[in-house]
Amino acid sequence: SSVFWGRFLPALRSVVTIPAALADMSPTRFGVYTAAGTVLFYAAVGAVVYYGRQQSLFEAAGSVAADRPVLATVFVAIALVMGLLVVTQYRRRERGSYRNN
């Protein structure tokens, strides 16, 4: 999944191949994850550009949040839960690496 998210996130797009190669990822799986992440990345960029010409991104987000408060709340809750899961996994790995040393 690192390849997928790495292709989707601008800062990691070019360096994600290194950990994939070190992990001996199969070329087919790498290609599928790369394609999916790249398509989503360019779709998101295209949407930002398209809607950015219509109105400001912050205005659009504000109007969606005002028109659909339940959707906005669910989106924020999902983002917070995913962030919490990432932090929890990171802390577990850090504790595990200290025990192994």
Side-chain angles (χ1 to χ4, degrees):
S1 68
S2 299
V3 171
F4 173 77
W5 292 110
R7 292 294 185 201
F8 187 67
L9 299 171
L12 301 176
R13 288 184 60 76
S14 61
V15 297
V16 74
T17 55
I18 297 168
L22 292 174
D24 243 357
M25 186 176 209
S26 75
T28 304
R29 190 173 187 182
F30 179 77
V32 168
Y33 284 0
T34 295
T38 300
V39 165
L40 285 176
F41 174 76
Y42 286 120
V45 169
V48 167
V49 169
Y50 175 77
Y51 289 113
R53 290 180 184 218
Q54 307 293 321
Q55 62 180 341
S56 152
L57 185 61
F58 295 111
E59 285 178 23
S63 68
V64 168
D67 293 343
R68 299 177 185 99
V70 174
L71 179 65
T73 303
V74 168
F75 181 76
V76 169
I78 289 171
L80 289 173
V81 167
M82 289 189 66
L84 182 63
L85 288 173
V86 168
V87 169
T88 302
Q89 287 290 347
Y90 177 77
R91 288 184 179 168
R92 282 185 187 160
R93 286 184 185 160
E94 285 295 313
R95 275 190 253 135
S97 68
Y98 288 133
R99 290 182 188 150
N100 292 336
N101 291 334

